[in-house]
Amino acid sequence: MDPRIREHAETIVEHSTGIEAGDDVIVYLPGDAEDLAVALHELLGEKGANPLLLTYSERVERAYLRNSDEFDTPEHELALYENADATIIARSGPNPSEKADVDPETTAAYNRAHDPVKKARLDTTWCLTQYPSSGYAQLAGMSTEAYEEFVYDAVTLDWAAQREFQENLVEILDDASEVRIRAGEETDVTMSIEGNTAANDYGEANLPGGEVFTAPVKHSVEGEVHFDMPLYRQGREVQGVRLTFEDGKVTEFSAERNEDVLQGVFDTDEEARYLGELGIGMNDAIDQFTYNMLFDEKMGETVHMAVGSAYPMCVGEGNEVNDSAEHVDMILDMSEDSVIEVDGEVVQEDGEFIFE
């Protein structure tokens, strides 16, 4: 076995999830990640944990979605997560575009029905990571070998040092009331974060980590955003997304390519039109766009915003938690002609923080 796989598994078990004896752990992996499953089960056995291996296939999911008309919440799956202590999930597979021909309305209906399952999974100690496959390498425009190096370098970062660096921004945001983001000629948006909390993502729930994120006050977002980096969703590339916010809500939207995918997101439920997350990428080790949000949203010199659900841990007492079946991140480049202001003071200009 590639020793990097063992190191990856050790990071998941020791750092990301902190598995202990007696923990009931769901390991949810695609079939091509068997080596990671083996390494994880060796470590979980040494810990005295109780693993349950589930496998998934994008091809199988496509077959189900294309032949279903209605969806109910799967109570057996819900019970599984309600009785678990931890969940480990890895993305992989031979074809990231497998579900490109699934109707966005079908996906929206499926997400609504599975929203309780998603919430139960998020109530466990969870880690989402990536197993490098040739399909995702091709999506990133990289050789398989280069992509493996990219993934393993990203997930085995010095997370203690990354945490310390990101804590500078956490301290700024935790005391803040308003954030304004300007980029180019088409992005100028303000939002309140009064009373909410910033989270330091250093490789726990997401592996790799490398961002600081918070939740906007629901009805406070005002302005326009041009997301100049693509969104890859349902196996399709959505380009040139533009959103207009009024009283926190998306009142106008467009995309230069595959706008129907975006329409499906906003048709999922009313709360999908509100912003649930503001995230600031701070991981300079991720230096290439790969069409994989797990990595791309962590890139240094970027900002991402997610329409849909907010993370409750970021929402302060008295503020409303935006509750949606969707959580869709979109990214904008902040490397030039851009500014992040916090309470009127510049915190980042053209990708460089004031504390660097």
Side-chain angles (χ1 to χ4, degrees):
M1 181 185 296
D2 188 328
R4 297 174 300 178
I5 297 175
R6 174 77 182 195
E7 186 177 2
H8 188 184
E10 289 173 348
T11 302
I12 294 169
V13 172
E14 299 290 348
H15 171 74
S16 301
T17 57
I19 300 297
E20 298 179 348
D23 283 349
D24 295 325
V25 184
I26 298 171
V27 181
Y28 189 38
L29 305 179
D32 63 354
E34 184 178 22
D35 281 351
L36 179 59
V38 170
L40 286 169
H41 279 70
E42 288 174 348
L43 293 167
L44 293 172
E46 292 171 5
K47 288 285 185 180
N50 307 309
L52 173 65
L53 177 64
L54 303 179
T55 61
Y56 73 86
S57 159
E58 298 279 353
R59 186 180 174 202
V60 169
E61 289 182 7
R62 172 187 177 273
Y64 173 65
L65 292 172
R66 283 177 56 86
N67 288 275
S68 300
D69 296 320
E70 296 182 359
F71 303 97
D72 297 318
T73 299
E75 297 295 333
H76 62 305
E77 186 178 4
L78 176 61
L80 185 64
Y81 288 105
E82 287 178 337
N83 289 279
D85 297 304
T87 306
I88 297 168
I89 306 172
R91 291 176 178 167
S92 187
N95 182 9
S97 299
E98 190 66 61
K99 293 188 286 188
D101 54 0
V102 175
D103 192 312
E105 292 183 5
T106 300
T107 300
Y110 177 84
N111 287 343
R112 285 193 295 269
H114 280 71
D115 190 46
V117 176
K118 181 187 76 173
K119 288 184 171 66
R121 184 169 61 243
L122 292 175
D123 282 341
T124 70
T125 299
W126 59 275
C127 175
L128 171 64
T129 191
Q130 179 75 36
Y131 183 81
S133 68
S134 58
Y136 275 83
Q138 184 177 33
L139 181 65
M142 303 169 70
S143 68
T144 302
E145 182 179 353
Y147 187 66
E148 288 174 351
E149 293 177 359
F150 171 80
V151 169
Y152 291 129
D153 285 349
V155 301
T156 56
L157 205 63
D158 182 342
W159 293 116
Q162 189 68 26
R163 178 184 184 180
E164 183 177 353
F165 170 60
Q166 293 175 179
E167 194 62 28
N168 292 292
L169 183 57
V170 171
E171 291 175 0
I172 292 171
L173 295 178
D174 274 347
D175 293 331
S177 296
E178 184 181 82
V179 177
R180 182 182 183 187
I181 296 170
R182 293 182 284 123
E185 298 181 355
E186 296 185 77
T187 295
D188 191 346
V189 63
T190 61
M191 63 194 72
S192 171
I193 57 171
E194 180 77 35
N196 286 349
T197 301
N200 190 340
D201 172 17
Y202 52 95
E204 293 186 308
N206 282 337
L207 184 64
E211 65 168 303
V212 170
F213 62 93
T214 188
V217 175
K218 183 173 181 178
H219 295 282
S220 71
V221 187
E222 298 282 347
E224 299 179 347
V225 185
H226 173 212
F227 295 99
D228 51 3
M229 302 182 81
L231 164 68
Y232 199 76
R233 179 174 171 82
Q234 295 174 224
R236 298 166 69 188
E237 183 181 10
V238 184
Q239 292 183 344
V241 173
R242 289 171 172 82
L243 304 181
T244 299
F245 292 91
E246 296 179 9
D247 296 323
K249 186 177 182 179
V250 175
T251 55
E252 297 180 27
F253 68 88
S254 65
E256 296 167 6
R257 184 181 182 191
N258 288 323
E259 187 176 299
D260 63 317
V261 175
L262 199 60
Q263 180 75 63
V265 170
F266 291 130
D267 287 347
T268 301
D269 49 45
E270 181 69 14
E271 288 69 27
R273 289 179 176 261
Y274 289 87
L275 206 61
E277 178 193 357
L278 168 66
I280 300 171
M282 300 182 69
N283 189 338
D284 292 332
I286 301 174
D287 57 1
Q288 180 171 338
F289 187 81
T290 61
Y291 291 92
N292 184 339
M293 193 61 68
L294 182 62
F295 292 81
D296 298 339
E297 68 175 3
K298 315 300 190 326
M299 290 175 64
E301 303 182 354
T302 67
V303 160
H304 58 277
M305 303 177 198
V307 294
S309 60
Y311 292 106
M313 65 181 180
C314 291
V315 181
E317 186 176 354
N319 286 341
E320 181 180 353
V321 178
N322 195 48
D323 187 10
S324 171
E326 291 286 9
H327 181 94
V328 180
D329 295 284
M330 291 171 273
I331 307 173
L332 58 148
D333 183 359
M334 300 291 289
S335 63
E336 58 184 35
D337 193 20
S338 66
V339 172
I340 300 174
E341 296 178 2
V342 177
D343 293 337
E345 300 291 330
V346 174
V347 170
Q348 185 195 75
E349 184 170 6
D350 296 342
E352 184 171 352
F353 291 102
I354 58 172
F355 47 79
E356 289 188 271

